[in-house]
Amino acid sequence: MRAARYTEAGPAAEVIVVDDVDAPAAGPGQILVRVAAIGLNPVDVKIRAAARDFGPIRYSDRPGWDVAGTVDAVGAGVSGWVQGDRVFALASFPDAAHTLAEYAVVSAADLALAPSTWSDAQAGAAPLAALTAWQALDAAGVEEGQRVLVLGGAGGVGHFAIQLAKARGAQVVATASPAKHDLVRGWGADHVIDYRDEAALDGIAPVDAVIVTVDDALPPRPAVAPGTAVVTITGLSAAQEASLAGWGADPIRRILVAADGAQLARIAELAEEGLVVVHLDSEYRFEDLAAAQERVETGRVTGKVVVLVDPEA
């Protein structure tokens, strides 16, 4: 089978190679997935560029975490899955998973049935970003009737955070560049604000929760009231955290997404109801993996970048 590999730290076009290797076998508690599509995320390009661990995130020269495809074989002790089931997963994260290949071994606990309303490309693009949004909303305690501010509403995590917050019955305010406002409204945002418009940002009334999905972003002061929950997926500086604490925000939480098949299954149920869609920024073939990673590195992705795989090619 074909499998991607990093030769060392460096630019995507110089260090990504595709090897012919033996296909893995499903062990106890595992499922062998014939891969159809793999989502790319900022963590993929950061870890390739550095070729080292990032805290608990394990580096491997065989990359990939997101995956969608079909069940090819079932390991010992696994029930409820049969060959041909259409599945998707965030595999093993933050441990190495090796999904950027034609076949990948995935823990049965990480898998969920892919929504029939999503294409293989959409299912492959979704897991890490959708689970991050789900877990961020959980960490913020978002529930029906609350107001949520999503900083970075047009990104991979941001566009899921908007939809999942709306599915919980929350009102959503989101930031995005003006060219993306119609898209963001289409995902359910009640109000969309240009992230560069300081006057508009200062006009945001206090919210119950802030979900920070972009680097070095501090919510506008008027949006934060005593008790506002602030959850970041990127981290905030000590000075930013001090400012938020001085404004009365709850203790700031930084989350690292965890693989969770049960939560993915709940997201899939919402997708079947038409409440969650996946916006694809761009699709690439496996042989164009370097270009796909370069697209992610621009930092201007709307929704998700996905790599398509065909084991028969």
Side-chain angles (χ1 to χ4, degrees):
M1 73 169 188
R2 294 178 301 165
R5 177 169 59 89
Y6 302 147
T7 59
E8 59 186 333
E14 297 177 13
V15 304
I16 295 176
V17 297
V18 176
D19 297 325
D20 286 320
V21 301
D22 292 337
Q30 296 178 329
I31 287 175
L32 180 65
V33 176
R34 176 176 170 173
V35 178
I38 308 111
L40 293 184
N41 302 280
V43 66
D44 293 285
V45 299
K46 290 177 182 178
I47 208 163
R48 183 217 74 234
R52 63 174 176 84
D53 294 347
F54 281 88
I57 303 173
R58 300 273 75 83
Y59 169 76
S60 170
D61 65 349
R62 295 288 182 190
W65 284 288
D66 277 340
V67 62
T70 54
V71 172
D72 190 76
V74 177
V78 176
S79 61
W81 300 99
V82 297
Q83 189 176 44
D85 280 345
R86 190 166 167 268
V87 295
F88 72 141
L90 170 61
S92 301
F93 195 85
D95 293 330
H98 310 160
T99 63
L100 270 164
E102 292 180 330
Y103 291 87
V105 169
V106 181
S107 169
D110 295 344
L111 278 174
L113 285 173
S116 63
T117 52
W118 290 356
S119 66
D120 288 339
Q122 290 170 318
L128 187 147
L131 281 172
T132 301
W134 182 280
Q135 293 168 18
L137 294 169
D138 278 352
V142 172
E143 58 188 27
E144 185 175 0
Q146 291 188 327
R147 294 183 73 242
V148 179
L149 170 61
V150 178
L151 299 182
V157 175
H159 89 296
F160 284 119
I162 291 168
Q163 296 176 82
L164 293 172
K166 291 297 293 183
R168 296 184 184 207
Q171 287 192 327
V172 178
V173 181
T175 63
S177 62
K180 299 177 181 180
H181 281 195
D182 286 345
L183 267 178
V184 175
R185 289 190 189 96
W187 296 323
D190 299 283
H191 304 284
V192 189
I193 295 171
D194 182 353
Y195 68 93
R196 294 163 296 194
D197 187 338
E198 294 185 5
L201 292 170
D202 286 342
I204 299 174
V207 297
D208 298 290
V210 180
I211 308 299
V212 183
T213 75
V214 290
D215 291 336
D216 199 33
L218 189 68
R221 171 66 184 89
V224 179
T228 296
V230 179
V231 176
T232 174
I233 68 170
T234 63
L236 297 170
S237 69
Q240 289 173 323
E241 291 196 13
S243 292
L244 287 167
W247 301 344
D250 274 356
I252 296 86
R253 303 169 180 86
R254 180 180 182 183
I255 68 161
L256 178 66
V257 66
D260 193 315
Q263 289 180 351
L264 266 186
R266 294 175 69 184
I267 293 168
E269 290 174 358
L270 295 174
E272 296 285 6
E273 296 173 20
L275 298 177
V276 181
V277 299
V278 184
H279 182 83
L280 295 180
D281 175 275
S282 46
E283 303 178 28
Y284 293 83
R285 302 301 303 176
F286 197 12
E287 53 266 30
D288 298 321
L289 175 58
Q293 288 215 1
E294 289 167 350
R295 173 60 184 163
V296 175
E297 283 182 301
T298 67
R300 298 185 179 278
V301 171
T302 302
K304 292 300 306 295
V305 172
V306 67
V307 176
L308 304 176
V309 179
D310 179 5
E312 300 300 319

